[in-house]
Amino acid sequence: MKLNIEGLLVYFPYDYIYPEQYSYMLELKRTLDAKGHGVLEMPSGTGKTISLLSLIVAYQRAFPLDVTKLIYCSRTVPEIEKVVEELRKLMEFYAKETGEVNNFLALSLSSRKNLCIHPEVSSLRFGKEVDGKCHSLTASYIRAQRHGNPNLPVCRFYEEFDAVGRQVPLPAGIYNLDDLKDFGRRKGWCPYYLARYAIIHANIVVYSYHYLLDPKIADLVSKELAKKSVVVFDEAHNIDNVCIDSMSVNITRRTLDRCQNNVDTLQNTIHKIKETDAAKLREEYRRLVEGLKEANVARETDIYLANPVLPDEVLQEAVPGSIRTAEHFVGFLRRFLEYLKARLRVQHVVQESAPQFLKDIFDKVCIDRKPLRFCAERLQSLLRTLEIADIADFSAVTLISNFATLVSTYSQGFTIIIEPFEDRTPTIANPVLHFSCMDPSIAIKPVFQRFQSVVITSGTLSPLDIYPRILDFRPVTMASFTMTLARTCLCPLIVGRGNDQVALSSKFETREDFAVIRNYGNLLLEMSAVVPDGIVAFFTSYVYMENIVASWYEQGILENIQKNKLIFIETQDAAETSMALEKYQEACENGRGAILLSVARGKVSEGIDFVHHFGRAVIMFGVPYVYTQSRILKARLEYLRDQFQIRENDFLTFDAMRHAAQCVGRAIRGKTDYGLMIFADKRYARSDKRGKLPRWIQEHINDGSLNLTVDEAVQLSKHFLRQMAQPFRQEDQLGLSLLTLEQLQSEEMLQKISQMAHQT
Amino acid sequence: MDEEPERAKRWEGGYERTWEVLKEDESGSLKATVEEILYQSKRKRVTQSHAQVRLGMMRHLYVVIDCSRSMEDQDLKPNRLTSTLKLMEGFIDEYFDQNPISQVGIITTKNKRAEKLTELAGNPKKHIAALKKAVDSSCVGEPSLYNSLRLAIQTLKHMPGHTSREILIILSSLTTCDPANICELIKTLKSLKVRVSVIGLSAEVRVCTVLTRETGGSYHVILDESHFKELLMHHVKPPPASFSSESSLIRMGFPQHTVTSLSDQDVKPSFSMSHLDSGGGPALTLGGYFCPQCQAKYTELPVECKVCGLTLVSAPHLARSFHHLFPLQAFIESPADNYQQNKFCQACQGQLKDKNVLACPLCCSVFCGECDLFIHESLHCCPCCIHNRTAT
């Protein structure tokens, strides 16, 4: 259908539209008009992706000069593929409606591991190995060596691409990862480099967060993207953690040992080269004197390691004299390494700021701030000069040099914590140095500055106003949309008491309480008898889950549950978990019924959808607070309080509630789906917790479902499930939560829609 | 105490989302619209039942009753099992009333096993007696869909192609304990053209959705007892025959009931064939139905002759099934204003007070809504048409 969104003609590839999609597009258009940033929350399963794509593509066509490119960032490869499929549908619709072939180029980009078509390289299992192997085949000096010695192995796909691929632009169309690979195979070109080259002139790029947020990758891949782009971060409820992770470094004793080996190898190689080809080292020295700028004009395949700091922090000066020669630099690395080793030998926890660390390192081993800042740059240059093919081995020394550069560049927003042992096992020495970023706005700032519109969207972004605060930006639109429903297909219940009136809570004081554990078991047992097919239960942590399950086993509760349903457990082992998931789905499919016990913040809670019968109920045992005793968290909370005036408790509750919302949101993946959401903790009833749930869940929590006992919850669930099992056809939705074009254009509906977006 | 809120919910359930249609009339009363809704729901039932064209007349239906632990749940009074069996008795009666030449068998499943309560047979009394006896049985363990379907297939697959093969499952449990993959069995059911319908007593279970969708049956979940009854009664009407079912001529016998008195010297008391295997009851009787082909004696009809295999029915039975084949056409609905001159219902002679009246498309007689329902659901023929026919 063709829509008119405030004067913009939008092609929408479906015959029906949800009212909230229309409203979402309105808000999005306003954001683009204002060339500003936006925060939009819309429940999953209401067609967020297609609304985004339809509107932005229409905008691009209408104002080709204002918006040149859409950069769509998603979290995982399957999600990326889903976006591309939606886009394909949209483009087919365009072609059908307008009758002309449009020259739209859209493609997805992923790592070499997902794109490589080289028979040997692509068979490797780990991403790092693939990257390293690829580098050893395609680095410019390797290729130069091949001129002298044609027997060296070669990647013919890259050679072919290098020879002709750059002249011919990628034909217009929609490319997902497989399409790129097919195209690459057909032409004999390397799909990875083809994609990286093509994103510069593509209209739409779909890739992972890291290509924009992690400075190590962003500098390589996304440097040349135009300013007039619209950036969309989908599923962005965890974006602050992604930002923080991309800037943080953890160093263990093992890292240091491997680093030691790396440094030894470097030294040996330097010796060898000195004997055979001293001119090369001299040449490098000369280049370094002239400055880094020139050193940067290397070939694309060489830049394997980029600077970990953000582009505007990179110094455009010459490398300081003390680390210019290769031997001096290796010596420097050695000294730095020894210093770190000494620091890791502490017996107590040390926390210090970056300036303190720099002062200490200067006092102890006379290392200045300036050479530290160039450490990453210098290592990169050295590795290139030494023509080391297999760079994957040098990850340890790379990590250390990244740390050196980061610690000397940023004095604010970072902290260094050295822990001699883990809190849980105080007897086993396992020293770790955390160099932890506390301010997510550091990593994302260049994105906000560079691109004219950045849209942050997800199903759970409540409370909306906290994201602009922690990411430090000023949005022009902030809106939360609810799901219009023809029937109330979600049923949030807050169970606060057991049948014996014992308050249910996972708070620390009552965590070991026998009565609470028994009542939790009772809840699961009773629910397993009334809920069909699949139930997913989330615990706050693995330890807590283990304790509870062990206790249930002793009390015989597990045995009783197994009469109703099979039980599967998520573990920290990925293979085990995926096996459990598979069997869980099978049991839901064939009528046996199953319960999956998993952990909030785990793999299951973030990435797996439990559509329809795979999740008829989600039970959240307790409030999933993050482990508050962690020093990194404490430092971050302190920082948030000082810098952004966010109280510790506010942030912790916000963080817990967004994870709770993520967990329970797993069950509802669309309007035809239905599911129970059971919050089993009396603290959920308090308004500070409840108020932080997304609006589309909140509005279905009425006062009657606030502090239920297990029995009451079971009665309500029974009634709900029977209601939902009644036949539900599309006609029931039409005109209410599903609109045709005529219905959409009616005056009454437009008025309703305009009131829908909940501005904050 | 529990009864009152439940009532309130039932009431609400019936009028869900009706606020959109509710409009006040001039006097500000909502009465008119509420009546309208009631009336609409009644009409819907009549028009729906006329959508079918070709019906399976000779039905072979297995009813599977879940007797697992969950049947002890007391959300139906006094408990699910008693309530279900009670409703089943009514169902059996109604079923044979509407489908006199069909057969029913009952299977119960509990403790991971399935067993036949009654064999496939056309005698309502036997089924009802068995159901009455089953009330006292205990409900234990889990049901097994697989085993019960398997058991039903064993008999149904031998049924001739022109008859319908149906299974109706009344499932209370939300879990099933199967010895093998049920998906394979669903494929077998599909290939054998067995139609499986499910009535769920607690919630929607995925495997039942798949099962009914694949085999062309229906799947419903009850809201309360009255809804349960309504859903059961849906299954009384024969389902539309599948186009692929064979058509064939069937030999049938129409035995006369011979009544003899003890005073008649020629007659000797004899055994009824149907009593031979059941054993109990008065064995020797005087009169009965005698198979026209082999002279075997039966006390009840309809039955398949044990000796020669002839289907024995009585003529009135067949006549009663007849209306399924030629259902009465739906009456034409029109506003009452068109019938100013004729203000009385032709059937009940009451004044036409409803907004709409219904007219028979053949004889153009006018009826009120209530009579329309009665004519379509019970009489199956228009009284005025019949009257005219006899008059001429």
Side-chain angles (χ1 to χ4, degrees), chain A residues 460-476:
Chain A
T460 52
L461 279 178
S462 293
L464 286 179
D465 56 332
I466 205 160
Y467 283 88
R469 276 163 80 190
I470 56 176
L471 297 179
D472 197 20
F473 72 105
R474 224 165 291 279
V476 292

Side-chain angles (χ1 to χ4, degrees), chain A residues 486 529-533 563-564 588-592 613 616 674 718-719 721-723 725-726 736, chain B residues 9 16-17 20 69 73 75 80 142 174-176 178 182 201-207 221-223 227:
Chain A
V530 299
V531 177
D533 300 327
K563 281 182 191 154
N564 297 324
C588 293
E589 199 72 62
N590 67 21
R592 182 68 182 91
H613 55 290
R616 283 295 179 216
Y674 65 87
K718 258 190 187 172
H719 184 71
L721 288 167
R722 278 191 181 153
Q723 289 287 333
Q726 301 310 313
L736 215 57
Chain B
K9 265 179 206 151
E16 219 187 347
R17 297 198 299 276
E20 264 111 31
R69 191 157 36 93
D73 204 320
D75 51 1
R80 283 185 185 177
E142 299 105 339
L174 294 170
T175 175
T176 151
D178 298 337
I182 197 155
L201 300 193
S202 19
E204 183 188 358
V205 181
R206 177 67 178 183
V207 72
V221 175
I222 65 160
L223 288 172
H227 189 224

Side-chain angles (χ1 to χ4, degrees), chain B residues 347-364:
Chain B
C348 64
Q349 300 300 321
Q351 206 173 354
L352 291 169
K353 276 177 275 178
D354 293 342
K355 208 157 50 159
N356 288 322
V357 295
L358 299 123
C360 171
L362 293 177
C363 65
C364 299

Side-chain angles (χ1 to χ4, degrees), chain B residues 29-92:
Chain B
S29 157
L30 293 174
K31 192 166 168 257
T33 38
V34 172
E35 275 173 359
E36 175 70 21
I37 294 164
L38 269 175
Y39 178 74
Q40 285 300 337
S41 69
K42 270 188 208 157
R43 283 290 301 161
K44 208 168 77 189
R45 252 186 304 167
V46 176
T47 38
Q48 263 175 1
S49 57
H50 288 282
Q52 302 165 353
V53 196
R54 195 175 153 198
L55 301 168
M57 292 270 300
M58 292 186 77
R59 305 172 65 188
H60 290 114
L61 172 71
Y62 259 114
V63 182
V64 177
I65 301 175
D66 179 0
C67 284
S68 65
R69 191 157 36 93
S70 62
M71 283 302 264
E72 278 170 355
D73 204 320
Q74 298 186 340
D75 51 1
L76 300 176
K77 303 294 174 211
N79 66 11
R80 283 185 185 177
L81 183 72
T82 320
S83 174
T84 307
L85 294 178
K86 192 91 205 139
L87 287 173
M88 273 310 295
E89 287 176 24
F91 172 77
I92 298 278

Side-chain angles (χ1 to χ4, degrees), chain B residues 167-323:
Chain B
I167 300 175
L168 170 66
I169 303 174
I170 296 170
L171 192 68
S172 151
S173 172
L174 294 170
T175 175
T176 151
C177 197
D178 298 337
N181 190 353
I182 197 155
C183 301
E184 298 299 316
L185 192 68
I186 292 175
K187 275 182 208 145
T188 321
L189 284 166
K190 206 178 164 188
S191 65
L192 286 172
K193 299 199 184 67
V194 180
R195 200 181 123 104
V196 187
S197 297
V198 181
I199 295 179
L201 300 193
S202 19
E204 183 188 358
V205 181
R206 177 67 178 183
V207 72
C208 297
T209 317
V210 175
L211 177 66
T212 52
R213 195 182 56 211
E214 289 297 309
T215 58
S218 63
Y219 183 28
H220 294 283
V221 175
I222 65 160
L223 288 172
D224 49 44
E225 201 169 333
S226 56
H227 189 224
F228 187 12
K229 191 169 177 191
E230 200 175 299
L231 291 177
L232 259 184
M233 288 313 155
H234 270 302
H235 292 276
V236 168
K237 289 219 167 64
S242 58
F243 285 100
S244 51
S245 72
E246 315 160 19
S247 344
S248 55
L249 292 170
I250 311 158
R251 273 171 75 89
M252 276 192 182
F254 296 90
Q256 290 280 320
H257 191 227
T258 45
V259 193
T260 43
S261 60
L262 277 170
S263 55
D264 198 336
Q265 292 301 311
D266 300 341
V267 169
K268 299 177 190 86
S270 57
F271 288 103
S272 156
M273 290 302 284
S274 55
H275 283 140
L276 282 183
D277 25 55
S278 58
L284 283 167
T285 46
L286 287 172
Y289 298 99
F290 291 90
C291 172
Q293 197 161 260
C294 62
Q295 297 301 313
K297 190 178 93 165
Y298 296 93
T299 45
E300 270 160 347
L301 291 182
V303 76
E304 190 173 293
C305 179
K306 290 249 161 62
V307 182
C308 61
L310 191 68
T311 310
L312 303 179
V313 291
S314 70
H317 279 149
L318 204 58
R320 260 196 287 157
S321 307
F322 193 67
H323 71 259

Side-chain angles (χ1 to χ4, degrees), chain A residues 671-690:
Chain A
K671 292 191 176 182
T672 52
D673 205 351
Y674 65 87
L676 286 159
M677 301 172 163
I678 297 170
F679 298 93
D681 194 309
K682 79 170 204 289
R683 289 175 291 173
Y684 282 110
R686 293 192 353 213
S687 65
D688 66 320
K689 308 278 186 305
R690 197 152 42 97

Side-chain angles (χ1 to χ4, degrees), chain A residues 333-351:
Chain A
L333 275 180
R334 245 180 228 290
R335 245 186 308 151
F336 184 56
L337 196 56
E338 286 309 319
Y339 172 74
L340 287 180
K341 275 189 185 163
R343 291 301 303 264
L344 277 189
R345 250 174 254 136
V346 289
Q347 293 302 315
H348 55 274
V349 179
V350 178
Q351 178 175 3

Side-chain angles (χ1 to χ4, degrees), chain A residues 112 192 196 199-200 211 214-224 299-307 380:
Chain A
R112 288 184 179 84
Y192 175 73
R196 259 182 58 180
I199 61 170
I200 297 167
Y211 289 97
D214 192 338
K216 293 187 277 296
I217 317 175
D219 194 38
L220 292 186
V221 178
S222 311
K223 201 163 154 192
E224 291 173 50
R299 307 296 301 273
E300 57 177 2
T301 44
D302 296 356
I303 315 174
Y304 176 74
L305 315 159
N307 206 322
Q380 198 181 312

